[in-house]
Amino acid sequence: MSIITLIDKYLEDLMEERNNFIDDLNQFPNFEKQVRRLSNELASGILSLTLSEADELIRNSGLRKDGYSIQRKDDRSLISSVGDFHFQHTLFKDKATGRYHYLLDELISLPDKERLTSEAEAIMLNEAEVHSYQHAAEAISVGSQKVSKTTVMNKVHAVEDEFPEPIFEQETEKKHCRFLYLEADEDHIHRQQDGKIAGCMVGKLIYLFEGKEDVCKGKRTLVHPFYFAGLYQGSEMNQKLWDKVQQYIDEHYDTDYLETVYLTSDGGAWIQTGVDTLYKCKPVIDRFHMTKYINRASRLTGDKDKENDCKQRFYKYIYKDKLLAAKKLLGRIRSMNFGNTNAEDFLDQCLSYFENNWDAIQRAYRDKNTLGSSTEGHVSNVLSDRMSSRPMGWSETGSDRMCKLRCFIRNHGRDKVVDLVRYRRKLACQQDAATGTDGMIDPIQRKQYSKKQREDYVYIERMHATLESGSTVRKILAIREQLGGI
């Protein structure tokens, strides 16, 4: 079958469906459904024929004849975004090495046993980033072949552990910013083992931005944000995460012009590594977490008036940089709760928090160049919305890759996911790929193919004109008959 025959059949079926609709205008939903079905069948048919024709061009190539001998033709099926389709590909034997190759598959970066096109896999990953694996599987189950949620899970697990530089758009010039802002926090993700929830994992989130700008009254947005996330368990992996952040700053910003990198957080232990790693970094405490400590400590006074007075004193000591006075106030609250083990433990924790983060607390309330924190909202939007807000469990690999995929989409856009898929497939094909296949299709073959396409276009234009002239009268009569019945 040629593409002309395929289009001819498509137009014939489309005209039949259109005429059926014109006869009964109440059937528009069914008409829309049939148009979509026919369009998908046409698209998948074109994919099938075009790949088969490309394989034929490779077989007839002079370069191929010099280096590879034909072994056999095989059929292969793929699931695409418009439905599944079949095409022919030829197995060749390298005359020099004796190895076997499907040259068409290698030239389009299609690994062995792969069932999905790159575009279909990208659509599936985009759906899985937002919805369940089952929903993502159904999103591309257009034809007779179906995709299971296990397949979706495997594709998520196959997402790059570290995203490759070639698919990033590099800045031509480094930016000049006096201040950069980093905010860091974590999400607690349920761990799944043997089909059951077994504890939690910590998903780490860091995002960098150049400032905040007003969108409307009471709402601001980050300027040029960039996100980093993943599990990064252990001190070595945690250091690797912060090294990535520093590398991004070095590659995109002029560090000589840069004055300060403000790192806002709750003061967690894993974040201290960032303070030690990042160049020109100054830690800033997240006021939200600071307020929680103050409110809970003040409530331990057991009296509403004393509680309010205690809060005022804490903030007064912070603004006046009086750590000793804040410690004494904690000591008095502790004496009020003597014997209460839980209260004493919390107050000890609060005292350590004040002592270890006092400079960061001062900077949060006194440095005019700092900005308010939005870590809670970002953790909820970037991680929790998919990872922990629903009663579900994750494997370590699945949670780590999903965290990174969600950041990748926010950093580069959904359209770039297909580039991520193509990069991984290209690497997989390069391991066993044939060499010397550049220019496999000869220029003279391309010219002949283009000439054949132009002839096809002329035929299509003539056929289109014939169909239009032959159906106009019928449409007018059908519409007139229906209007008469109103």
Side-chain angles (χ1 to χ4, degrees):
M1 179 185 293
S2 67
I3 287 184
I4 285 299
T5 306
L6 190 67
I7 294 176
D8 196 1
K9 183 178 185 306
Y10 165 75
L11 289 175
E12 180 181 342
D13 293 341
L14 181 63
M15 294 301 296
E16 181 180 352
E17 294 295 339
R18 188 174 71 163
N19 292 337
N20 291 338
F21 166 64
I22 294 298
D23 289 339
D24 186 1
L25 296 180
N26 288 324
Q27 298 300 316
F28 182 71
N30 182 64
F31 176 58
E32 180 182 359
K33 179 179 178 181
Q34 295 304 320
V35 169
R36 184 176 70 248
R37 177 184 63 80
L38 291 173
S39 299
N40 285 341
E41 289 179 357
L42 174 64
S44 61
I46 290 175
L47 292 174
S48 174
L49 288 173
T50 304
L51 285 180
S52 297
E53 288 175 358
D55 187 67
E56 182 179 357
L57 289 173
I58 294 172
R59 287 199 307 272
N60 296 331
S61 166
L63 180 61
R64 192 282 305 165
K65 293 176 181 177
D66 291 339
Y68 304 91
S69 60
I70 296 175
Q71 299 301 299
R72 65 173 185 269
K73 288 183 181 180
D74 291 324
D75 288 330
R76 183 167 183 178
S77 63
L78 288 177
I79 299 173
S80 75
S81 58
V82 293
D84 48 84
F85 65 92
H86 301 264
F87 66 97
Q88 281 192 333
H89 62 162
T90 304
L91 180 66
F92 298 95
K93 182 179 180 180
D94 190 327
K95 295 179 180 179
T97 65
R99 299 179 66 182
Y100 295 90
H101 302 272
Y102 287 103
L103 293 180
L104 173 64
D105 298 15
E106 293 173 4
L107 288 170
I108 65 174
S109 298
L110 182 63
D112 293 340
K113 301 180 181 179
E114 177 59 61
R115 296 175 57 216
L116 302 172
T117 64
S118 298
E119 179 66 18
E121 183 176 343
I123 291 173
M124 187 175 66
L125 289 175
N126 274 308
E127 289 293 327
E129 185 264 339
V130 180
H131 304 291
S132 67
Y133 288 165
Q134 183 62 45
H135 182 100
E138 294 171 355
I140 59 168
S141 296
V142 178
S144 58
Q145 296 189 72
K146 303 300 179 183
V147 177
S148 68
K149 62 181 182 181
T150 302
T151 299
V152 181
M153 180 191 72
N154 291 335
K155 292 298 183 183
V156 171
H157 286 201
V159 168
E160 303 295 322
D161 180 33
E162 299 296 334
F163 294 131
E165 287 299 323
I167 62 174
F168 289 165
E169 295 180 358
Q170 297 294 326
E171 298 288 342
T172 55
E173 294 185 5
K174 292 185 178 182
K175 298 181 181 180
H176 290 73
C177 294
R178 289 181 59 203
F179 306 108
L180 282 179
Y181 300 90
L182 285 165
E183 296 182 359
D185 206 348
E186 65 269 353
D187 185 29
H188 295 277
I189 304 167
H190 297 298
R191 184 195 308 273
Q192 186 179 57
Q193 290 182 344
D194 300 326
K196 297 181 180 179
I197 302 298
C200 286
M201 301 171 287
V202 173
K204 299 173 182 177
L205 173 66
I206 305 168
Y207 51 99
L208 176 150
F209 56 100
E210 299 169 11
K212 296 183 179 181
E213 59 184 10
D214 294 330
V215 176
C216 57
K217 185 177 180 180
K219 184 178 180 180
R220 295 192 297 174
T221 186
L222 305 185
V223 178
H224 300 142
F226 197 88
Y227 298 85
F228 307 84
L231 296 188
Y232 293 99
Q233 302 179 86
S235 58
E236 184 177 344
M237 292 301 296
N238 187 51
Q239 181 66 57
K240 184 177 180 180
L241 170 61
W242 289 107
D243 287 341
K244 284 180 58 179
V245 177
Q246 182 61 59
Q247 180 183 358
Y248 180 84
I249 295 174
D250 292 340
E251 291 176 351
H252 293 82
Y253 296 93
D254 187 340
T255 52
D256 293 332
Y257 185 85
L258 181 65
E259 292 182 14
T260 307
V261 176
Y262 289 105
L263 173 54
T264 303
S265 68
D266 61 0
W270 69 272
I271 299 171
Q272 183 59 42
T273 303
V275 177
D276 299 333
T277 301
L278 300 179
Y279 181 55
K280 298 182 180 180
C281 179
K282 292 183 179 180
V284 180
I285 209 66
D286 183 351
R287 290 193 185 191
F288 174 77
H289 291 88
M290 186 71 254
T291 300
K292 289 202 302 183
Y293 274 103
I294 291 175
N295 289 346
R296 184 175 173 185
S298 300
R299 283 196 296 270
L300 293 176
T301 56
D303 181 85
K304 192 66 177 177
D305 292 335
K306 290 182 179 180
E307 178 183 340
N308 292 332
D309 179 65
C310 193
K311 290 180 184 179
Q312 293 176 7
R313 286 178 178 273
F314 273 124
Y315 287 116
K316 176 183 176 181
Y317 297 149
I318 289 173
Y319 278 109
K320 292 189 174 183
D321 193 10
K322 294 183 176 181
L323 174 59
L324 182 59
K327 292 167 64 176
K328 288 181 178 179
L329 180 56
L330 284 172
R332 288 196 292 273
I333 298 174
R334 182 186 175 89
S335 64
M336 297 178 189
N337 292 271
F338 182 75
N340 185 339
T341 305
N342 291 334
E344 290 182 344
D345 290 344
F346 168 73
L347 291 169
D348 289 340
Q349 180 183 350
C350 189
L351 177 61
S352 297
Y353 191 80
F354 272 58
E355 291 177 335
N356 296 333
N357 299 285
W358 189 255
D359 290 341
I361 293 171
Q362 290 296 298
R363 198 168 288 113
Y365 287 92
R366 297 162 67 92
D367 191 331
K368 63 180 181 179
N369 293 315
T370 60
L371 302 175
S373 172
S374 55
T375 54
E376 294 297 315
H378 277 85
V379 168
S380 176
N381 179 266
V382 180
L383 298 185
S384 303
D385 181 55
R386 180 69 175 93
M387 311 299 296
S388 62
S389 62
R390 300 176 182 86
M392 65 177 71
W394 294 83
S395 67
E396 289 188 7
T397 301
S399 59
D400 180 67
R401 300 304 189 272
M402 182 58 71
C403 288
K404 291 174 179 175
L405 178 62
R406 288 176 69 84
C407 286
F408 180 89
I409 290 174
R410 281 157 180 76
N411 292 336
H412 304 287
R414 295 192 179 279
D415 291 342
K416 286 293 182 181
V417 175
V418 70
D419 294 333
L420 189 65
V421 173
R422 291 173 61 194
Y423 178 85
R424 187 178 70 249
R425 292 188 176 193
K426 187 174 182 180
L427 289 181
C429 289
Q430 283 176 348
Q431 295 176 359
D432 297 313
T435 58
T437 54
D438 293 339
M440 180 64 71
I441 300 176
D442 303 328
I444 189 170
Q445 290 178 280
R446 297 180 189 274
K447 290 181 180 180
Q448 292 173 350
Y449 189 67
S450 298
K451 180 180 179 181
K452 182 177 182 297
Q453 285 181 311
R454 288 194 295 270
E455 293 172 354
D456 290 346
Y457 294 152
V458 172
Y459 176 83
I460 292 170
E461 289 175 359
R462 292 173 180 171
M463 184 166 55
H464 175 73
T466 302
L467 289 168
E468 283 297 315
S469 62
S471 60
T472 303
V473 175
R474 186 181 183 283
K475 287 189 292 183
I476 293 174
L477 293 175
I479 293 294
R480 181 180 297 173
E481 180 180 350
Q482 293 179 72
L483 289 176
I486 295 178

